[in-house]
């Protein structure tokens, strides 16, 4: 587990219940859940929630982020627009582990309309329990970070 145990969570309206479940789950694992909402079910826009969560990670306020929307895709794309963010969508635990170990992902995105609740928690566990392996993977992550538009 990282020294900074603050994990930011956010979602759009499609994933509020699952996000709250994940927040409870990670608190039980010993993390601090920084749940920035939204808290009410009105239709909202995933880009602003993806960006808000990403800025918490990019600033160093939170060590990692977990974001959700219906597919996980739109909020992931939004978060990845913020400098320093490496976010992947995962629908199974293997990829969730690998994006930490090989890609040094600092955010995980999940589609609440794609995976069930139990699987989502397994995905979260795989992501949080894994650590970046460095070495040749650090070279590649550095190359990725150096890409400019
Ligand atoms: C909202 O209906 C839906 O478009 C959103 O949750 C997400 O799936 C977008 O990527």
């Amino acid at each position: 587990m990282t020294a900074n145990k603050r994990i930011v969570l956010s979602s759009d309206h499609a994933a509020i219940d699952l996000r709250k479940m994940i927040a409870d789950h990670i608190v039980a694992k010993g993390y601090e859940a920084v749940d920035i909402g939204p808290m009410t079910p009105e239709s909202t826009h995933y880009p602003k929630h993806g960006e808000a969560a990403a800025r918490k990670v990019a600033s160093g306020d939170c060590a990692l982020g977990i974001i959700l929307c219906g597919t996980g895709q739109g909020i992931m794309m939004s978060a990845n627009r913020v400098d320093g963010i490496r976010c992947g969508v995962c629908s199974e635990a293997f990829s969730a582990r690998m994006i930490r170990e090989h890609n040094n992902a600092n955010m995980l995105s999940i589609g609440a309309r794609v995976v069930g609740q139990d699987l989502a928690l397994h995905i979260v566990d795989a992501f949080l329990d894994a650590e970046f392996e460095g070495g040749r993977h650090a070279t590649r992550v550095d190359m990725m970070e150096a890409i400019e538009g």
Side-chain angles (χ1 to χ4, degrees):
M1 186 185 292
T2 62
N4 179 351
K5 297 191 175 97
R6 286 165 61 80
I7 311 293
V8 62
L9 297 107
S10 192
S11 73
D12 72 358
H13 54 278
I16 291 176
D17 290 346
L18 182 56
R19 191 192 78 234
K20 289 178 177 173
M21 183 173 297
I22 291 171
D24 290 344
H25 181 73
I26 70 171
V27 167
K29 284 172 71 75
Y31 290 92
E32 179 184 351
V34 180
D35 189 344
I36 60 171
M39 301 302 174
T40 54
E42 295 82 27
S43 182
T44 183
H45 306 296
Y46 58 79
K48 65 181 182 182
H49 302 295
E51 180 189 359
R55 298 222 179 270
K56 287 270 189 196
V57 175
S59 70
D61 181 28
C62 294
L64 297 169
I66 299 172
I67 53 178
L68 307 95
C69 64
T71 59
Q73 302 290 351
I75 201 163
M76 173 275 290
M77 293 178 199
S78 306
N80 276 322
R81 301 300 296 263
V82 174
D83 274 357
I85 294 303
R86 293 173 300 280
C87 182
V89 180
C90 293
S91 300
E92 31 72 33
F94 174 73
S95 295
R97 176 164 66 86
M98 296 305 286
I99 64 170
R100 288 286 297 134
E101 291 185 354
H102 285 194
N103 311 121
N104 201 14
N106 47 18
M107 296 188 75
L108 166 69
S109 184
I110 296 175
R113 295 173 177 161
V114 179
V115 303
Q117 294 176 348
D118 288 355
L119 177 54
L121 298 185
H122 284 300
I123 291 167
V124 167
D125 285 344
F127 180 73
L128 294 180
D129 293 347
E131 301 220 358
F132 182 48
E133 290 180 353
R136 69 185 188 282
H137 303 298
T139 303
R140 294 164 185 164
V141 171
D142 288 347
M143 290 172 67
M144 187 165 52
E145 290 298 317
I147 297 171
E148 293 178 6

